[in-house]
Amino acid sequence: MRLRLVPQETNWDFMRYRNLTFGGSVVAMIAAIAVWLIVGLNFGIDFLGGTTIRTESTMAVDVGAYRAALEPLALGDVTITEVFDPTFAPDQNVAQVRIQSQDGAEAVTPETITAVEMALQTVDPSLTFPSVESVGPKVSGELITSALLALGAAMVAMLFYIWLRFEWQFAVGAVAALVHDIVLTIGIFSLLQIRFDLATIAALLTVLGYSINDTVVIFDRLRENLIKFKKTPLVDIMNKSVNETLSRTLMTSGTTLLALIALLVLGGDVIRGFVFAIFWGVIVGTYSSVYVAKNVVLMLGVDRDPKKPSDAGTQFADIDA
């Protein structure tokens, strides 16, 4: 007996509350943008420039004492945060000291780093420094530009691909779903103040790929059904297409989430932001494939002139996948 997450045949009305779900998505995007503009992102050292020193000790982290020890060094903006992780041992106390780039310098000098370490060891002589990361302000600015270009290029390439394979309405719907996924992911990072760095950009690109893959699978079935059922209302064909691909969607999303949950729990704090971005992206990407991409296509409509059977459903029906 094979395990089934859903019955072999389903007839759930996914589009019944399409106005409510699409409106909720729009409101969520506006809220995410508002949080982003008001709260801002917790940029990592990759984008801010400066130096991050990771400390580790058997004694509890005293952020106030650390800050007091560093004040005489006049380092400018210094951020000290304690790192919590379920994989840490009971006597493993970790903190991160982030120092802004100094005026006129590409990075914090080795002498400054040594002075910081010595100052911190006056508070806790058992402190060790497992890692030190430095990025200059010029490099960080270039990284921001490259990250934005990477996201933009990925979305333009996907827009072109969907337009070639389907109709332009499908391309607009797919890109709208991608924008939805990216905005909500950035919004949750801003709300929870999770560190936003280059690893997060890599996660966002992964989310784009996952989301467009799920959308294309449903679009493929929708295209087939548009050709097969020329007189059936478009909303009914959309429901049928989502139902027919539901088992595949749940299996793919479910197995991916199982692996991501394991990484979230056991992977450690270093990769937690990267894993969380993909975890959240899989959830919103699966949602947007149905309730954003399909809603946009439904609003724009599809050319289904029965006098042009070769164009029913797609003007590029013969292009291979």
Side-chain angles (χ1 to χ4, degrees), residues 20-30 180 184 287-288 291-292:
L20 181 63
T21 54
F22 188 76
S25 295
V26 172
V27 171
M29 290 177 64
I30 293 173
H180 168 273
L184 290 193
Y287 170 88
S288 68
Y291 291 112
V292 177

Side-chain angles (χ1 to χ4, degrees), residues 54-61 66 81-85 88 91-96 127 130 269:
R54 186 181 177 93
T55 72
E56 188 170 321
S57 175
T58 55
M59 294 177 58
V61 174
Y66 285 12
T81 55
E82 186 172 1
V83 178
F84 298 96
D85 193 278
F88 288 166
D91 61 346
Q92 186 178 8
N93 300 284
V94 178
Q96 285 188 337
L127 271 180
D269 67 287

